[in-house]
Structures are given as C-alpha cells and as structure tokens.
Amino acid sequence: MKAILNFPAQDRQTGQYILNSLKKYCDVIHFDNRWNYTGMIHTIKEFQPDFILCNREPKLLNEIIYIKNTFPQIKIAVWNLDKRDSIFQFPKELLTMFSYCNFLYVTALGQIPEYQSILPNTKVRHLQEAIDPDIYHKEVLTKEDHDRFDCDVLFLGDIYNPLFHGRKELFDFLLAQKDLNIKINGSKQDRQWIGRDFNVACQCAKINIG
C-alpha cells in the first residue's frame, strides 16, 4: 500500500508520529503542508498512492477538489485534531473540504452525529491521538533544565490565533493571576521548544495545558 501524507512536522510532534506510524505499514511520501498543483500532480501520477491523509487545513480545499475529480480511485482522508463547542465554529472552507473526503477522522467523539448530518457522503470516524514513545519520553533533567523550564502552568501553542475559540480569553485570565508562574511557547515570534526541549518543558511544569 502507498500513501501521501500532508501534515506539518516542523515541530516534530503530531505530523512526525503520524509519519512514523504510516512507515510501519506502507510506503509514504510526506509533504509538510507545502505542496503545489504542479508538484502534487506529478507526485500522484508517478507514485500512484492508494490514499492521501491530510491535516485539517482550509488552504488545501482546491487541491482536495482536484484530486477527487481527477483521481477518483484515490481515497482521501482528513484527520481533524481540533475540537470546538460546535463544528460550525470551524471555517466554512474547512467543512466544505471535509465534504470532498472519503473519510473524516475526528477526536471529538460526541460530535460525530453533527458532522455526519452535514457530510452524508463522507464516513466520519473517531480517531484519538496517542503517544509515540520514540518522540515523547522522560528525559534526565539537569539544574539548567529546571532553571529554564520550571513553572506552575505551561502552554505550548499559539494563544492568540483566532481559530482557537476561547483560548485568548483563558490566557488573559491566567496571565492576570500574579501568583502563577506561567510559561508560554508557540507564538510565531517564539523559537519553538521541540524535541528534548518539549519533553523537558512538560516534565518541569506542574500543569500542562494544550
């Protein structure tokens, strides 16, 4: 079996462990959310994948429509790792993209009926995230690690992205609490903590959010 994976992996987290898992069962070509029409068409024609697994990225809508119409034999799947109070809080383009997929995998088990009600031609299934021990594991901590990463609350991610409903309000509240030592890493201006830094930061925090 052959697959194309279009998932970000710059942070060596979600996209990387999906790639690691797929490599155990099939031949994989990985695009890091940066493909274009020319590269995509050439790769599909040459590689002839059985399926394509994509991130929930509205910018891929036109590519997904093209693949669906031009290569109907290829199964298209999207894994939506995000949750909202209602699926209608997601961008309209994203819901449209889901409608062109053969499979939609979601972590929000309770929202499957809501998805299925507007996606009659897409099979919606629950797929929860897991832990890849090759990436996520305990590190031997040093004094320098504690000096750099010890905190009460840790959040790794972008707190101001409007896509994430209610996140900014939560952190505005937490940051106003003067007795909390809060560390945040993941905004565009930050140098992201990846690899060992990610593991150490999680170990040194009393509470991890996100």
Side-chain angles (χ1 to χ4, degrees), residues 13-195:
Q13 295 175 41
T14 308
Q16 188 61 56
Y17 72 64
I18 296 173
L19 180 61
N20 291 350
S21 298
L22 286 177
K23 282 182 175 179
K24 296 178 181 179
Y25 301 101
C26 56
D27 295 328
V28 186
I29 290 180
H30 179 223
F31 287 88
D32 200 359
N33 259 22
R34 292 193 297 265
W35 64 9
N36 54 58
Y37 272 119
T38 303
M40 173 193 67
I41 296 168
H42 176 77
T43 299
I44 290 175
K45 286 181 177 179
E46 291 292 320
F47 189 56
Q48 298 184 8
D50 297 288
F51 72 93
I52 296 173
L53 176 60
C54 297
N55 183 30
R56 55 103 191 96
E57 174 52 68
K59 294 178 182 178
L60 296 176
L61 173 59
N62 290 333
E63 282 87 342
I64 295 297
I65 293 174
Y66 183 89
I67 296 169
K68 183 76 170 180
N69 293 332
T70 310
F71 306 99
Q73 77 279 11
I74 298 175
K75 301 299 183 184
I76 303 170
V78 170
W79 191 5
N80 184 11
L81 294 160
D82 287 334
K83 303 179 180 72
R84 299 290 186 274
D85 295 333
S86 167
I87 66 171
F88 296 104
Q89 292 172 344
F90 287 112
K92 182 179 179 182
E93 294 81 5
L94 190 59
L95 297 177
T96 300
M97 189 178 100
F98 294 161
S99 71
Y100 283 90
C101 297
N102 301 96
F103 298 94
L104 170 63
Y105 297 105
V106 300
T107 55
L109 176 61
Q111 291 182 334
I112 288 179
E114 191 176 16
Y115 278 111
Q116 202 68 79
S117 69
I118 65 166
L119 302 170
N121 298 316
T122 302
K123 295 180 180 178
V124 184
R125 300 290 185 267
H126 177 241
L127 183 60
Q128 197 62 45
E129 286 191 87
I131 296 295
D132 185 338
D134 291 336
I135 299 173
Y136 305 106
H137 50 257
K138 279 192 172 184
E139 306 284 356
V140 178
L141 301 180
T142 66
K143 179 181 182 302
E144 289 75 18
D145 291 331
H146 285 289
D147 291 342
R148 183 181 175 194
F149 294 110
D150 277 1
C151 62
D152 296 316
V153 178
L154 170 70
F155 179 78
L156 299 174
D158 187 350
I159 65 174
Y160 294 115
N161 190 324
L163 279 176
F164 303 114
H165 180 68
R167 183 179 289 182
K168 178 182 179 299
E169 292 75 13
L170 170 62
F171 280 94
D172 283 345
F173 170 78
L174 290 175
L175 290 168
Q177 312 307 308
K178 299 186 184 301
D179 57 342
L180 281 180
N181 177 7
I182 301 175
K183 290 189 183 296
I184 298 171
N185 179 268
S187 298
K188 291 182 180 179
Q189 68 272 18
D190 295 333
R191 183 180 69 82
Q192 281 193 300
W193 296 338
I194 59 177

